[in-house]
Amino acid sequence: MILNLVTTLQKLIRRKPSGQPVCLEVRPDGIAWARAAASPGQSLGFVECVSAQRQDTLSKLVDDQGWAGVPAVLVLPIDQYQVFQVERPEGVEDSELADALKWKLKDFLDFSPADAVSDVFAFPEDASRGRGPLVNVVAARKSLVRELIGLVADAGLELDRIDIAELALRNLAARLDQSNRGVALVHLRDRYGQMVICQGDTLYLSRRLELSYDDLRDASSQESAVQSLALEIQRSMDYFESQLGQVPPSTIQLVARDSVLPLNSMLSSYMAAGIEVPEWSQFGLSAALDSRCLPAWSAALGQGGAGMIRQQVNLYTPELRPTRQRLHAGTAGALVGIVLLILVAVMAFGRWHNQTLEQQVERLEQQNRNLETAVATMADQVQARQPDPDLEASLARITETIARRQRLLERVEGLATHNHGGFSGRLSALARQVPEDLWLTAVRLQSLPSAMRLEGRTRAAELVPSYLARLGDEPAFVGETFGDFRLQRPDDEADHQWVEFRVATQPGEASGR
């Protein structure tokens, strides 16, 4: 809201910008610009861009060149407007002539006159040939013009005028016609050309020339394209002589896009008039002009003495200009007072907001200090919990002892392994085959040489043979033969109810030898 009020105030009290205007032509392939300089010559250039990049490109150009607030002149190319010669009605004021005449064009325009923006410029009296006073009516689509106006305004320029290409080229033709005998100027673009014929600073004829540079480059169609172009130029010269009653110029000034084609000599063989290229050094230019900049540059040529030229148009009509309101001194003072009050309120709010932020910063700094203290405390605790070197040494010794014992156990297991799969298989078999009422009191297993002795007791002697038979069914004892067997009762009367047995795979084992 504040920014809107300030902007409105600035617009209301803004002075009209001063200085040489920058002339622009917005083309399909980029933006051409030129600005008259205090010394001979003009500054000019061309920036390539597609339609979607025009706004960014022009805004950057304004920033780079320092054009903010500089007046601007837009030059419309010939394909963005139409020009008609009509009789001037009697009794119509000059200020109302454009609006009155555009409704006469409703049968010729491809859009409604209500959607048109128009202006008029004088038709030479000596070319009317008894038809009464004529005027040239220029009409362009209002939507297109509005789009270009927005483009210039958003870039930071102050639009002053909207000119058309033929009147811009007229400025160059007038400079070339030093003897006031008339000059023809042909400007060739990629897809079409434009020809103007002037005497002094008066435009008599403007024509669009159909051509294609693709045809001119193609060897198979080059001769036909040159002949067609020469024919159109010659017809324009004949019309200038027969219908307008004027003496045609003896030379034609040709400005073509940068090309290696020798168009001068190619056209001269088909034309009665001579074909020449403007001498750019007389305009203070050290090199040939970029033809893409010709309309904008030619428009800049007429800025110094534009007030002395009779034929002028400006399609930047009042209905397209932003509305400017005039303020009385009291209203302006009240508006300034309101803005100042709002600014004071904003400053007070900003001061309060800054104090609030400072308090938040203080709280955050305190929290940061507390966190730093907590981190330091935790670091001390972690340092205190570091492992005891003595405990680490004891743990290392115990780990080494366990490792040695593990290696010894693996070695013993390796020594105990034989064709029966070692001690573990036999012990597992013994564990599975212990029956009720029979207990093993001693087990002896020997690896080398392989031997085994079992001792035990039971209350029923008949359990011993069945036990040994079941052992023989175990895979670990397959093939084993018990060579010694002993069964007896103990000598002690208290144990007389028991029967002790001993069996061994090797002789002498059962007897304990």
Side-chain angles (χ1 to χ4, degrees):
M1 178 179 178
I2 298 172
L3 292 177
N4 291 337
L5 287 174
V6 173
T7 302
T8 302
L9 184 60
Q10 290 176 343
K11 290 181 178 180
L12 291 173
I13 63 176
R14 180 184 297 167
R15 294 181 179 179
K16 185 175 181 179
S18 59
Q20 288 292 342
V22 56
C23 299
L24 303 171
E25 182 189 18
V26 180
R27 297 164 47 105
D29 56 346
I31 298 175
W33 63 271
R35 193 179 188 192
S39 58
Q42 286 80 25
S43 58
L44 70 156
F46 184 82
V47 183
E48 294 183 354
C49 66
V50 297
S51 298
Q53 299 172 338
R54 286 174 179 171
Q55 188 63 69
D56 293 338
T57 301
L58 183 57
S59 298
K60 184 176 185 304
L61 185 60
V62 171
D63 292 339
D64 294 344
Q65 299 291 334
W67 291 342
V70 169
V73 174
L74 270 175
V75 181
L76 297 184
I78 194 174
D79 57 348
Q80 293 182 355
Y81 63 91
Q82 295 174 272
V83 180
F84 304 92
Q85 283 84 42
V86 297
E87 293 185 5
R88 175 174 180 140
E90 297 181 0
V92 179
E93 298 292 335
D94 291 344
S95 59
E96 301 175 356
L97 190 60
D99 287 335
L101 290 178
K102 73 178 180 180
W103 291 99
K104 282 192 172 185
L105 307 178
K106 61 181 179 179
D107 295 331
F108 304 99
L109 296 174
D110 54 0
F111 52 91
S112 171
D115 297 329
V117 56
S118 62
D119 198 2
V120 298
F121 65 95
F123 188 83
E125 294 180 2
D126 59 347
S128 61
R129 303 296 297 269
R131 290 175 291 179
L134 300 176
V135 292
N136 294 291
V137 183
V138 183
R141 284 185 180 272
K142 191 177 298 183
S143 58
L144 171 65
V145 175
R146 287 188 187 277
E147 181 181 351
L148 294 175
I149 293 173
L151 177 70
V152 173
D154 292 342
L157 295 170
E158 288 289 334
L159 185 59
D160 183 49
R161 297 177 56 246
I162 299 180
D163 205 346
I164 57 176
E166 53 235 59
L167 292 182
L169 295 178
R170 182 270 321 273
N171 298 331
L172 173 59
R175 297 288 186 93
L176 295 172
D177 189 17
Q178 298 294 331
S179 61
N180 203 29
R181 294 180 179 178
V183 63
L185 175 64
V186 175
H187 176 216
L188 300 185
R189 302 173 71 126
D190 283 343
R191 297 298 174 187
Y192 64 88
Q194 186 171 11
M195 179 178 181
V196 296
I197 303 179
C198 304
Q199 288 184 358
D201 61 358
T202 301
L203 174 69
Y204 278 77
L205 177 69
S206 173
R207 285 290 175 86
R208 176 187 171 109
L209 307 175
E210 299 300 329
L211 83 154
S212 170
Y213 257 90
D214 293 336
D215 293 337
L216 290 174
R217 294 192 195 98
D218 190 349
S220 62
S221 60
Q222 185 178 84
E223 184 175 359
S224 175
V226 172
Q227 290 179 355
S228 297
L229 178 60
L231 181 60
E232 287 201 55
I233 295 175
Q234 188 60 51
R235 285 176 176 173
S236 299
M237 298 282 280
D238 294 342
Y239 181 87
F240 179 73
E241 180 180 12
S242 62
Q243 299 299 319
L244 302 184
Q246 306 297 317
V247 178
S250 59
T251 60
I252 299 174
Q253 300 288 332
L254 176 66
V255 180
R257 56 163 290 182
D258 301 332
S259 174
V260 296
L261 293 175
L263 285 177
N264 292 359
S265 58
M266 295 168 69
L267 288 171
S268 295
S269 59
Y270 298 100
M271 300 286 301
I275 306 295
E276 298 180 356
V277 176
E279 184 62 42
W280 300 115
S281 59
Q282 66 176 309
F283 298 100
L285 300 178
S286 58
L289 181 76
D290 185 346
S291 65
R292 297 174 298 182
C293 301
L294 182 65
W297 180 78
S298 299
L301 286 178
Q303 296 308 308
M308 303 299 295
I309 299 176
R310 294 188 302 110
Q311 292 176 311
Q312 295 186 72
V313 297
N314 186 2
L315 296 180
Y316 192 33
T317 58
E319 64 174 320
L320 299 178
R321 295 176 182 269
T323 303
R324 297 185 181 273
Q325 299 178 354
R326 295 184 177 181
L327 292 182
H328 297 290
T331 305
L335 181 59
V336 172
I338 293 173
V339 172
L340 291 176
L341 288 176
I342 294 176
L343 291 176
V344 170
V346 170
M347 293 176 61
F349 174 78
R351 187 179 298 107
W352 171 82
H353 188 59
N354 288 338
Q355 292 176 352
T356 303
L357 291 178
E358 290 176 355
Q359 294 174 359
Q360 292 179 355
V361 169
E362 180 63 27
R363 287 196 297 269
L364 291 174
E365 290 179 348
Q366 183 60 41
Q367 292 177 2
N368 188 38
R369 289 192 291 268
N370 294 340
L371 289 174
E372 290 177 352
T373 303
V375 169
T377 303
M378 293 178 66
D380 295 339
Q381 293 176 355
V382 170
Q383 185 65 29
R385 293 182 180 181
Q386 293 294 327
D388 189 352
D390 295 336
L391 291 177
E392 290 184 343
S394 299
L395 179 60
R397 287 195 298 272
I398 293 172
T399 302
E400 179 63 25
T401 301
I402 292 174
R404 288 199 305 271
R405 291 180 179 179
Q406 183 66 31
R407 290 193 295 270
L408 179 59
L409 178 60
E410 292 174 355
R411 184 174 181 185
V412 169
E413 283 289 338
L415 293 174
T417 303
H418 68 304
N419 59 338
H420 293 291
F423 296 150
S424 61
R426 294 184 177 190
L427 292 175
S428 298
L430 292 173
R432 286 192 298 270
Q433 296 301 333
V434 176
E436 266 188 63
D437 298 329
L438 188 147
W439 293 268
L440 293 177
T441 59
V443 176
R444 180 179 181 185
L445 300 175
Q446 181 176 315
S447 176
L448 296 174
S450 178
M452 181 179 68
R453 186 179 72 185
L454 301 177
E455 296 181 6
R457 58 169 49 185
T458 182
R459 287 189 176 89
E462 63 272 13
L463 296 177
V464 177
S466 63
Y467 172 60
L468 295 178
R470 287 196 300 273
L471 283 180
D473 295 334
E474 288 287 340
F477 293 105
V478 172
E480 291 287 354
T481 303
F482 293 102
D484 287 344
F485 178 76
R486 180 179 179 183
L487 190 66
Q488 66 180 13
R489 290 187 181 276
D491 295 335
D492 190 355
E493 289 293 337
D495 295 333
H496 193 66
Q497 60 180 339
W498 294 93
V499 175
E500 296 179 345
F501 67 89
R502 295 180 183 177
V503 294
T505 58
Q506 297 293 334
E509 287 293 327
S511 62
R513 296 192 299 272

